[in-house]
Amino acid sequence: MAEMSQSAPLSTTVSNDSTSGPTGNKRKRADYRQSQREKRQELKTVVFEANDISQDNIKLPKKKYYRQRAHSNPFSDHLLEYPISPSHMDWHKLYPALLPPKEDESTELARKVEIVDVGCGFGGLLVSLATEFPDKLILGMEIRVQVSHYVEDRIIALRQQHANEGQYNNIAVLRANAMKFLPNFFGKGQLSKMFFCFPDPHFKVRKHKARIVTSTLASEYAYMLRPGGIIYTITDVLDLHQWMVRHLESHPLFRRLSKEWEDDDACVKIMRKDTEEGKKVERNKGDKWVACFIRLDDPE
């Protein structure tokens, strides 16, 4: 067989596929997001009835199209909507199948959100809590735009897929800055459980003020939690675990629960295995540090 001439030009293939390469991927991602945005606006306040849709045609959103930076500066002025007080919040928009419109006279007697996942990420914990506590209203709060959109689209798809059982109507997600605006959403003693799962560790000392557990924020959490309510924390960063334990243990309205209590609690089991970060730590054979705190009775 004749040898190839060294001067022979290398053959090249030019693809005419407009969806290949970085530019094509960006266009495909933009088209997908636009399609999901239109669907979200149309369906997020819809109450899905049993047998009125074909569940076989409903697909969960694709996480790869919602990627963005892992962290968001909680001190930045984000374009966020929030009520001036808890009484001004229209929860019907988030739980249309379970709560009446705000202008309805029965709103004052309506159920209220009791469980909050602060920094809910891609919603793994939220989805598991929905079936663990089907009679409770559960809210995920997430500051990152695309991540909150993913969770919202995921909840819509789950509500459609399980319309026959009426599941997942009790969970919702809200894009919000929990460090600034939690008291705008929740009244005194409203919450029974708060979750802080794998929060941003903010490793640099000058960034520690941005950690989600501080002495000041612990007082806000104590205000919104009813006596007997629980704060759940989990992280794969030992320094952050020690920081959260130190700040919550030093607060007069919180007491840390025992490891035996943690081992028996259903929420701790869910928190360990069902969050996306928890699964990642498990794959990497890392450590998970858990600490739970009970809200004590108000002093006389």
Side-chain angles (χ1 to χ4, degrees):
M1 181 170 58
E3 295 183 0
M4 180 182 294
S5 170
Q6 293 185 354
S7 61
L10 296 176
S11 62
T12 59
T13 302
V14 179
S15 173
N16 293 321
D17 184 359
S18 61
T19 62
S20 64
T23 303
N25 289 336
K26 185 180 295 185
R27 184 182 301 111
K28 187 176 181 180
R29 183 167 62 249
D31 290 344
Y32 182 89
R33 287 182 177 179
Q34 177 62 29
S35 173
Q36 290 295 104
R37 186 181 303 116
E38 294 171 357
K39 186 189 302 182
R40 188 185 316 126
Q41 293 301 319
E42 179 184 356
L43 299 178
K44 64 181 180 180
T45 58
V46 170
V47 178
F48 302 106
E49 301 291 343
N51 301 317
D52 66 350
I53 54 176
S54 174
Q55 285 87 351
D56 295 336
N57 298 326
I58 306 303
K59 296 181 180 179
L60 292 172
K62 299 178 180 180
K63 191 184 298 182
K64 65 181 181 179
Y65 293 119
Y66 298 82
R67 298 293 186 186
Q68 68 172 83
R69 292 180 60 186
H71 308 296
S72 183
N73 184 356
F75 299 120
S76 296
D77 291 326
H78 300 275
L79 296 176
L80 300 171
E81 294 183 4
Y82 56 91
I84 60 175
S85 72
S87 62
H88 289 81
M89 180 63 187
D90 186 2
W91 293 105
H92 168 75
K93 294 180 179 179
L94 297 180
Y95 307 93
L98 300 178
L99 295 181
K102 190 176 186 307
E103 59 273 12
D104 194 306
E105 294 181 357
S106 62
T107 301
E108 291 298 323
L109 302 176
R111 296 157 60 184
K112 294 183 178 181
V113 171
E114 293 187 44
I115 301 175
V116 175
D117 182 8
V118 177
C120 68
F122 288 94
L125 177 71
L126 202 62
V127 170
S128 295
L129 291 176
T131 52
E132 182 70 23
F133 299 100
D135 60 335
K136 305 292 186 184
L137 295 185
I138 307 167
L139 181 71
M141 307 186 84
E142 174 59 51
I143 194 171
R144 292 169 292 172
V145 181
Q146 295 302 330
V147 178
S148 63
H149 285 170
Y150 170 84
V151 180
E152 192 171 7
D153 293 341
R154 183 179 184 181
I155 292 172
I156 291 172
L158 287 170
R159 288 177 179 177
Q160 290 178 294
Q161 288 179 344
H162 299 270
N164 290 338
E165 301 90 6
Q167 291 181 326
Y168 301 103
N169 290 306
N170 63 324
I171 58 172
V173 66
L174 191 67
R175 185 179 177 234
N177 186 339
M179 287 189 66
K180 289 185 176 182
F181 303 121
L182 272 184
N184 294 73
F185 293 97
F186 310 115
K188 179 176 173 59
Q190 178 176 335
L191 303 178
S192 63
K193 298 180 187 295
M194 298 183 73
F195 291 86
F196 300 92
C197 300
F198 301 96
D200 191 337
H202 294 289
F203 289 107
K204 297 179 181 177
V205 174
R206 64 184 179 85
K207 294 278 192 177
H208 284 181
K209 62 184 178 181
R211 288 180 169 178
I212 196 62
V213 173
T214 63
S215 298
T216 300
L217 290 173
S219 293
E220 287 194 4
Y221 305 151
Y223 173 82
M224 288 172 279
L225 273 170
R226 65 192 61 161
I230 307 293
I231 280 184
Y232 294 81
T233 72
I234 184 171
T235 178
D236 58 332
V237 179
L238 178 58
D239 174 67
L240 178 60
H241 166 73
Q242 294 170 336
W243 167 282
M244 293 191 290
V245 168
R246 185 166 67 250
H247 282 78
L248 288 168
E249 275 190 331
S250 64
H251 197 283
L253 289 178
F254 288 109
R255 174 174 58 82
R256 187 174 181 182
L257 293 163
S258 67
K259 187 178 185 304
E260 290 73 24
W261 184 94
E262 293 173 2
D263 291 340
D264 291 337
D265 186 71
C267 291
V268 173
K269 293 183 176 69
I270 293 173
M271 183 172 66
R272 286 180 181 275
K273 67 183 181 65
D274 286 359
T275 60
E276 281 77 9
E277 284 296 324
K279 294 175 181 177
K280 184 189 300 183
V281 174
E282 194 75 28
R283 290 194 299 270
N284 295 333
K285 302 186 184 305
D287 294 317
K288 300 176 189 176
W289 306 93
V290 173
C292 301
F293 298 83
I294 188 169
R295 166 61 155 91
L296 302 176
D297 290 333
D298 293 327
E300 295 293 336

